[in-house]
Amino acid sequence: MFKFPGSLSWISPEEDRIIAATGAGGKTSCLEYLALQFKQLGHRVLLTTTTRIFRPSQTGFGQYIDRLIESNVLEQAGIEPKASSITLAGFPDENPEKLKGLSLADIQQLIELDIYDNILIEADGSRQRPLKAPRDDEPVLPDDCQIIIGVTGWNGISNPVSPQNIHRWEQFVNITGLSEGERPTPRTLFPLLNDKHGLFKNAPASARKVWLINQVDQLSDRTCAREFIASVQSLSPPLHHYVISSFRSQSAPFVEGITWKTESSENNHLI
């Protein structure tokens, strides 16, 4: 089983039951990490998607899945799972390496059954690129979402942008104003977090927004990522939590939540 870092101050496993991930650069890895942590707490976890999701490797995350449901999905997913379990639900896709997502109505029905402690939803696609902007019909989010995790890859932030490493290039350029070959700065990336057509598009008004920078794989990257987040935070995007992570090592992932001194928090409290 995974070795987890300390407690997650940015998520309450008991209260934050409906969690969705959007963006690029590690959505699936983040949700798998949370699913495993919740399972270790004894929770009944449903992992699914409203778009498409990769089938987990049997030598990786797949070995921790207790139920894989891809036929009679609503009927099977509606059977109460055992405690301390992960259920992965989706429909067969044309690509045999992926599962196709459930509709919002399907997910709402499963939410109302109230048989899962946590429902984790991958809400858009990125074609494995480190940065993206959503298209018109993305992301696909249930109204009951309590947490929206907006994921960006450090490999996209720390390198010049181009159509080759950005998903939805035209939308990304329209939001950020960046041109091919330019490197993102806190000020140019800020609109991706703040714009109504950006990373947290369609987020329910009551949902808390978490910005997670993944792919922070090297120790030197962590310092740079913290400084980048601090600069973005000074521009005051309406976000609730900031996180840096590296899921490259499945057996020992790195996750660090970051907050800054405000009227109600301590300065530079790192988890």
Side-chain angles (χ1 to χ4, degrees), residues 63-271:
Q63 63 188 300
Y64 305 116
I65 293 175
D66 300 278
R67 295 194 300 172
L68 173 60
I69 298 172
E70 53 183 315
S71 62
N72 300 320
V73 172
L74 279 184
E75 178 182 342
Q76 294 299 316
I79 297 173
E80 186 164 353
K82 64 181 182 181
S84 189
S85 66
I86 297 173
T87 299
L88 174 62
F91 296 96
D93 188 64
E94 299 80 16
N95 181 347
E97 296 182 353
K98 291 188 175 184
L99 290 172
K100 192 159 42 178
L102 280 64
S103 69
L104 286 179
D106 292 341
I107 290 177
Q108 185 60 43
Q109 184 173 331
L110 292 172
I111 291 172
E112 291 173 359
L113 286 176
D114 198 26
I115 59 174
Y116 295 97
D117 298 301
N118 305 99
I119 297 179
L120 309 179
I121 305 158
E122 187 164 322
D124 61 8
S126 60
R127 295 190 180 176
Q128 297 184 289
R129 297 177 185 177
L131 289 175
K132 74 162 289 183
R135 68 184 181 191
D136 290 345
D137 59 347
E138 294 178 321
V140 184
L141 300 168
D143 291 337
D144 291 343
C145 275
Q146 294 153 303
I147 295 283
I148 309 296
I149 304 173
V151 181
T152 54
W154 182 247
N155 292 338
I157 295 172
S158 61
N159 288 291
V161 298
S162 72
Q164 287 70 47
N165 67 356
I166 305 295
H167 190 43
R168 312 287 184 215
W169 171 251
E170 291 185 3
Q171 289 92 332
F172 181 85
V173 169
N174 288 338
I175 291 171
T176 64
L178 285 163
S179 299
E180 184 172 356
E182 291 186 312
R183 194 184 301 269
T185 66
R187 190 164 294 279
T188 57
L189 199 65
F190 170 78
L192 189 66
L193 306 172
N194 190 57
D195 192 274
K196 65 180 180 180
H197 299 295
L199 197 59
F200 295 98
K201 177 185 172 188
N202 298 337
S206 60
R208 298 205 315 280
K209 300 173 184 177
V210 177
W211 179 28
L212 183 144
I213 300 181
N214 188 42
Q215 302 173 343
V216 187
D217 299 328
Q218 306 299 324
L219 285 175
S220 57
D221 292 337
R222 296 175 189 178
T223 299
C224 294
R226 293 183 193 113
E227 293 173 350
F228 194 95
I229 287 177
S231 295
V232 172
Q233 194 268 347
S234 69
L235 300 173
S236 300
L239 305 180
H240 298 85
H241 305 280
Y242 302 80
V243 182
I244 60 176
S245 65
S246 172
F247 298 112
R248 186 172 63 174
S249 171
Q250 287 193 331
S251 62
F254 164 78
V255 181
E256 178 180 273
I258 303 173
T259 58
W260 287 267
K261 186 175 182 180
T262 65
E263 293 180 358
S264 59
S265 66
E266 296 294 328
N267 188 38
N268 290 333
H269 175 62
L270 303 182
I271 298 162

